[in-house]
Amino acid sequence: MTASLLRLAVLAASFLPGALGGIIVRSEPDPASSSNTILPRLDWSDAAASETATLNGINFGCKCAPGRSCWPSAAKWNSLNNTVDGRLLVHIPPGAVCHNTFQGPLGTVQTYDAAACAEATANWASEDWTVAQPAANLWTYFTNDTCRPTENPADSCTLGYYGVYVIMATKPAHVKAGIDFARRNNVRLIVRNTGHDFIGRSTGYGALVINTHSFQDITWIDSYRGPGSYTGGAVTIGAGVQGKTILAAGHARNPPLVVVTGECPTVGIAGGFIQGGGHGPWTTLKGFSADNVLAFEAITASGHYVTANAQQNADLFWALKGGGPASFAVILSVTMKTFPDIPSAGAELYINTTHTTDSDVWWNGTAAFHKWSNHFVDNGLYVYFELLPLTLRVRPFVAIGKTSAELAAVVKPFLDELAALGVPYDFTLKEFPTFYDLYVDLFEAEAAGSSALTGGWMFNHHDVATNNDGIIEAFKTVLSPRPDLFGFMVGHLFNPGYGAPKSNSATHPAWRNATDFIIAILPVTPGASLAQKADLQNVLTNTMDEALRGASTSGCTYVNEADPYQPNWQSHFWGSEYPKLRALRYKWDPLGVFYAVSTPGTEGWEVIEDGTRLCRRL
């Protein structure tokens, strides 16, 4: 946090009253001494009752919201601040420095700072800068696109759908204090590490946010000693560690090591990434990140510190491995398998307007690329690509453990077909001493600060083999869903079943025959009205995603990167695993202390009153 933004945080903290006494919190043992306990039952006796509401004849029990009589008193918030060693902040959106005032739910703050505004404006698209903010989201749609940088300081700046308070946690006791406070006061709770979130699970109106990004410990284990039969190398990763950090730390080992991370460097590994499954460049060879987890340290909705592994709290262990982000517990650390880093080859391919402006020629090339996707993953490749009108950008083809000659042999039939079709292209091939060197050279950071709706779908081997033409027609619909709209896609060719044919996680069983996972993206203009947003959501769900679903037999999409408002999200996200996950959610969090949209057991929950109050049908 810069000095200017820190000044704002201190200013915001002035909303917290002086020491007015505190509530007594029952003492808890240190997590290191208590985490081996297998919990026979959980205690919910201190949980607050819901606030009731009625909407359209439906009775709800709601989380407490600012301005309601149930909202915790200033004395309670002050007590929480004391409990977390003064690390409770009133959240001010990072763009507030460009506005004269921030009109928050707790009052108005003078916020304009020309130097800080210049910094925020210059860094608005920077993922690293945004990750470092207390509670900002990398993509802004689900914040209600509030309080963006502006050249007019008189523009309105409000909290939107951001949380009200943030605990900048630096130790497990801070996380526990936040969970306990939310449970005891019926306050909505959000867990935020990097804000790397497409679908609004890292923000929420009226929430208390726990920021876990300071948990940066990395502990290498030469030989894992169980439980279970695995005895290879492992590493314990704190909740705040990002992909680029653990890969760099692994590269510095002798010999160099890797773990299964995401493709984007800024993604956090523990937490929501693994709770959604976690896919990346090693997934074809080693399965999902969740398949490679050996243990978790976590805090439950009841405030208990637990270890979860194959023997201790085994049902929670399974559920945390792909069973849904922010659903069962807050992860403090994860222990994962490590693998030797090895020589690898990579390649890039481009077909765009520098090669042709003939859309038929371009679509022929795109169809040929996708036609060979089964062939690519069946040869152990991972392939990342982007698709926009007249632009196919494949960066990169990843061939871990292969030479450039071996990768060239894999892609040769595809390139031969492009030549036969008369499709011009650029193709470059590289060889690297390790995967890490490939990763640094060929993978890119994504841009923050944009506003969009996100959907997507998985195509399996059968889909590609029997209906590639139908898939391409669906792609055309995504790129042009309506005459006045445009979309684009990010594609990932991988198959967790290639290297891990038997699932070791709660992920959808259909992933074991995957070929291509598509993210469909529909841009949204900041400031869109509620009616415009509803229209765009309908286009995403019932035009773009419907086209993708209709071209596929997989019945599957990815928990963290798909439309949470799609029909039958339960079966599409988890398939036959869903009933077990739903039952476990009611065991580990029956009150809904944790909430994230379209996760197990949330069928009765709704965000009512224009995206504000979080309520459960009674």
Side-chain angles (χ1 to χ4, degrees), residues 22 28 70 79 97 115 145 186 244 296 303 323 348 360 371 384 426 428 431 492 540 596 614:
E28 293 288 346
C70 60
S79 179
V97 291
D145 280 315
N186 189 36
K244 62 181 179 180
F296 295 100
E348 301 172 65
D360 290 335
K371 169 188 169 183
Y384 181 88
D426 283 334
T428 57
E431 195 166 299
H492 315 74
L540 177 77
L614 176 62

Side-chain angles (χ1 to χ4, degrees), residues 23 36 54 123 128 172 176 184 191 236 302 316 327 337 351 393 413 439 454 494 570 586 593 606:
I23 53 177
N36 290 334
T54 301
N123 287 285
D128 286 327
K176 173 181 165 48
R184 292 167 178 159
V191 183
T236 299
S302 59
L316 178 62
S327 299
K337 298 176 183 178
I351 307 173
R393 187 175 190 266
Y439 184 80
T454 304
F494 64 83
Q570 298 91 333
Y586 290 145
V593 174
E606 295 182 35

Side-chain angles (χ1 to χ4, degrees), residues 354-609:
T354 66
H355 306 103
T356 181
T357 56
D358 186 323
S359 62
D360 290 335
V361 171
W362 180 78
W363 275 116
N364 287 341
T366 300
F369 164 73
H370 202 267
K371 169 188 169 183
W372 287 95
S373 55
N374 281 347
H375 172 75
F376 298 147
V377 298
D378 288 346
N379 279 275
L381 302 191
Y382 169 90
V383 184
Y384 181 88
F385 67 95
E386 297 163 345
L387 203 64
L388 300 88
L390 288 176
T391 300
L392 170 61
R393 187 175 190 266
V394 185
R395 178 173 175 171
F397 291 86
V398 178
I400 298 169
K402 295 185 186 298
T403 65
S404 57
E406 289 172 322
L407 176 55
V410 173
V411 299
K412 184 178 185 302
F414 159 56
L415 298 182
D416 288 345
E417 181 164 345
L418 289 183
L421 292 169
V423 177
Y425 62 89
D426 283 334
F427 180 79
T428 57
L429 193 65
K430 295 183 179 182
E431 195 166 299
F432 300 89
T434 66
F435 162 76
Y436 178 79
D437 292 293
L438 180 155
Y439 184 80
V440 170
D441 186 57
L442 293 181
F443 281 89
E444 304 164 297
E446 298 169 2
S450 60
S451 181
L453 287 166
T454 304
W457 200 252
M458 184 270 276
F459 296 100
N460 61 26
H461 273 52
H462 177 77
D463 297 332
V464 174
T466 64
N467 192 34
N468 194 61
D469 289 345
I471 293 171
I472 297 303
E473 288 302 312
F475 287 180
K476 292 178 181 179
T477 298
V478 172
L479 295 189
S480 183
R482 206 168 64 187
D484 60 324
L485 298 173
F486 72 93
F488 59 98
M489 289 178 284
V490 175
H492 315 74
L493 306 185
F494 64 83
N495 179 17
Y498 177 89
K502 184 177 180 181
S503 174
N504 189 30
S505 61
T507 52
H508 198 306
W511 283 110
R512 303 300 147 173
N513 189 37
T515 293
D516 181 12
F517 170 60
I518 287 289
I519 301 175
I521 302 165
L522 181 62
V524 179
T525 302
S529 68
L530 290 175
Q532 290 170 324
K533 291 179 179 180
D535 174 53
L536 293 174
Q537 180 66 56
N538 180 62
V539 171
L540 177 77
T541 301
N542 297 312
T543 300
M544 297 167 68
D545 267 13
E546 180 60 26
L548 298 175
R549 289 191 295 266
S552 170
T553 63
S554 73
C556 177
T557 190
Y558 184 61
V559 176
N560 288 345
E561 296 168 326
D563 179 11
Y565 303 109
Q566 65 187 285
N568 303 317
W569 56 264
Q570 298 91 333
S571 62
H572 293 162
F573 284 152
W574 289 285
S576 59
E577 306 290 13
Y578 186 77
K580 181 179 177 182
L581 287 167
R582 188 170 185 264
L584 288 174
R585 179 64 177 274
Y586 290 145
K587 171 186 174 180
W588 288 95
D589 185 19
L591 303 181
V593 174
F594 306 128
Y595 171 80
V597 63
S598 300
T599 53
T602 59
E603 288 86 350
W605 289 91
E606 295 182 35
V607 180
I608 65 173
E609 297 177 359

Side-chain angles (χ1 to χ4, degrees), residues 59-189:
N59 294 323
F60 292 93
C62 299
K63 297 285 186 181
C64 200
R68 303 275 172 179
S69 60
C70 60
W71 186 248
S73 66
K76 286 187 175 182
W77 287 111
N78 180 71
S79 179
L80 174 62
N81 189 40
N82 292 336
T83 302
V84 299
D85 304 317
R87 302 196 64 80
L88 180 69
L89 302 177
V90 173
H91 184 229
I92 295 178
V97 291
C98 295
H99 299 255
N100 289 331
T101 59
F102 164 63
Q103 297 94 35
L106 306 179
T108 298
V109 183
Q110 300 295 317
T111 52
Y112 184 74
D113 182 314
C117 177
E119 178 189 347
T121 301
N123 287 285
W124 195 249
S126 166
E127 287 200 346
D128 286 327
W129 184 86
T130 307
V131 165
Q133 307 309 310
N137 268 30
L138 292 183
W139 300 284
T140 60
Y141 178 82
F142 286 99
T143 71
N144 202 28
D145 280 315
T146 186
C147 202
R148 299 171 69 91
T150 178
E151 295 181 355
N152 180 11
D155 286 346
S156 174
C157 172
T158 64
L159 191 61
Y161 298 155
Y162 275 123
V164 179
Y165 288 95
V166 186
I167 297 173
M168 300 298 291
T170 59
K171 56 186 180 182
H174 296 160
V175 177
K176 173 181 165 48
I179 295 170
D180 289 342
F181 186 90
R183 183 182 66 252
R184 292 167 178 159
N185 294 280
N186 189 36
V187 171
R188 184 174 182 178
L189 185 66

